[in-house]
Amino acid sequence: MRVTKKITVLFLGLLFIGLQGCTSDNGNEPEINLDQVAFDAADAVNGSRLYNDFTAQETGFVAPQDASVKLVDITDHKDFYRCKQCHAWDQKAQFGSYINRAPKTGRPDVSSVELTNMQSADIRVLFDGIKGTGGGAVDPARTADGTNPALGGNNHPDYGTILSDELIWDLVKYLKDGAFDTDALYETNIVGTYPTGSVSFSDIGRDGNAAAGNAFFASNCAMCHGEDGTGIDIGGRSIGDFAREKTYEVQFKVVSGQLGTPMGTTSITIDEMKDLLKAISDETNYPPLG
Ligand code: HEC
Ligand code: HEC
């Protein structure tokens, strides 16, 4: 399925370059598609870090693009700028894991725009969507109270004033090529509607292979988290608890790493992710903290 889509995209891309070549003024030389060049050079893993928190040290973000934008107006109101706050870790916006994440003074309501299944999205359309020229300005008045949508705190920000094109291409690459389709990994069961609905997760790991997942954990995670995942207290949870309760965040954090901690990125395929989730959601092998 994914391969077919990729081939289609490749084919359309070649066709596009071909057509451009035909219509170019100098006739023979096909013009270079600069969007494709930028996309090819982009880094999906860094895109995932930016999606979490672009102000973190690991992302390569240094200062806002527009010199009149004050960084402190972003860092003091982070949840109005973190992609994950409005579109969620599972990209399902208010229709998945964040169905009951209501707005507070310090964070806006979760958006209704899902960013799932972007594999066949046009890279230029995606780039422009993220750049959001003319979108929400960096302004403390706009982000003063998330519970008052009239202030516009829930608008997609004008990232052109904040992020370089290079970093925006990393985000494009992450959403198109890097982000996992969580429906392939587990079932999300939602009841009701945002912000009063509820969510649960089942069939964690789908048809994954638990033995392979145990082996993956032993060689990539156990040195820090302990053999049974109880070696580090992660917000009162063991690895097993986290996989059972915050299922929607595991696939993200494994790829991205945990910003600000020694946990770096782990390279993993979707099949290995299924194996891992299947393994670590097992309560006998990965119990709660002791
Ligand atoms: C404060 C909430 C908020 C934040 C933060 C936010 N978005 Fe959005 N986003 C929205 C809303 C609302 C829309 C729909 C309206 C629009 O396009 O302006 C949207 C639209 C989009 C679209 C276009 C989708 C489509 O189908 O047209 C993309 C892509 C996107 N966001 C990606 C991102 C990325 C990547 C980030 C982080 C760099 C981000 N968003 C941060 C609220 C947010
Ligand atoms: C180099 C050590 C190290 C390795 C390797 C490592 N982790 Fe972590 N992990 C950490 C640390 C440190 C934290 C943060 C603990 C805290 O909350 O302060 C963490 C946090 C987490 C969290 C919680 C994230 C959150 O949002 O709170 C999860 C889930 C997790 N790790 C899963 C894994 C998995 C799965 C692997 C293997 C693919 C792995 N880790 C590999 C050290 C590591």
Side-chain angles (χ1 to χ4, degrees):
M1 182 72 176
R2 230 186 123 166
V3 173
T4 317
K5 272 189 192 152
K6 270 198 179 154
I7 291 172
T8 310
V9 169
L10 184 68
F11 173 73
L12 290 175
L14 289 174
L15 186 68
F16 180 64
I17 292 172
L19 288 175
Q20 274 198 326
C22 293
T23 55
S24 74
D25 290 333
N26 58 9
N28 303 331
E29 291 295 313
E31 278 168 28
I32 295 168
N33 181 342
L34 291 176
D35 285 353
Q36 193 63 48
V37 171
F39 178 83
D40 290 345
D43 177 349
V45 170
N46 198 50
S48 76
R49 296 186 197 113
L50 292 160
Y51 189 90
N52 177 349
D53 180 2
F54 60 83
T55 67
Q57 227 178 5
E58 293 94 331
T59 65
F61 170 81
V62 182
Q65 281 299 108
D66 181 335
S68 69
V69 168
K70 291 198 212 91
L71 183 56
V72 66
D73 289 340
I74 296 172
T75 51
D76 277 357
H77 305 271
K78 261 193 194 176
D79 274 345
F80 294 85
Y81 296 94
R82 295 175 75 186
C83 316
K84 77 97 194 166
Q85 165 58 30
C86 294
H87 299 289
W89 299 113
D90 52 11
Q91 296 98 237
K92 286 178 182 281
Q94 56 176 246
F95 307 104
S97 55
Y98 274 5
I99 193 169
N100 52 18
R101 191 174 164 93
K104 296 200 286 199
T105 308
R107 72 180 187 214
D109 43 319
V110 176
S111 101
S112 57
V113 179
E114 295 188 77
L115 301 176
T116 49
N117 300 314
M118 288 285 175
Q119 291 89 339
S120 48
D122 179 275
I123 55 174
R124 173 44 58 173
V125 172
L126 201 45
F127 179 91
D128 289 342
I130 297 171
K131 192 158 184 172
T133 303
V138 179
D139 176 355
R142 189 180 68 83
T143 55
D145 182 1
T147 65
N148 181 2
L151 299 178
N154 57 7
N155 290 347
H156 179 93
D158 185 341
Y159 285 107
T161 66
I162 305 171
L163 301 174
S164 66
D165 284 2
E166 194 185 344
L167 294 183
I168 294 175
W169 281 114
D170 287 349
L171 283 158
V172 171
K173 188 129 176 187
Y174 168 66
L175 288 176
K176 192 175 159 78
D177 271 3
F180 287 119
D181 170 10
T182 62
D183 290 343
L185 301 173
Y186 57 84
E187 187 71 26
T188 300
N189 314 291
I190 59 170
V191 179
T193 53
Y194 182 82
T196 54
S198 64
V199 62
S200 64
F201 308 98
S202 54
D203 200 15
I204 299 173
R206 297 288 193 194
D207 59 350
N209 178 320
N214 286 325
F216 190 93
F217 188 86
S219 45
N220 294 285
C221 324
M223 61 282 223
C224 296
H225 288 283
E227 235 170 88
D228 66 354
T230 62
I232 298 180
D233 179 333
I234 39 181
R237 294 181 175 90
S238 67
I239 283 286
D241 290 336
F242 202 97
R244 291 180 288 270
E245 295 162 24
K246 302 187 85 176
T247 315
Y248 55 91
E249 224 175 299
V250 177
Q251 89 285 339
F252 188 96
K253 293 294 171 71
V254 169
V255 169
S256 195
Q258 178 71 343
L259 300 176
T261 82
M263 178 169 154
T265 179
T266 302
S267 147
I268 189 167
T269 66
I270 190 149
D271 286 332
E272 288 169 335
M273 188 63 82
K274 282 200 238 176
D275 298 345
L276 180 64
L277 281 171
K278 188 93 175 181
I280 64 179
S281 57
D282 181 304
E283 191 154 359
T284 308
N285 294 336
Y286 298 88
L289 297 174

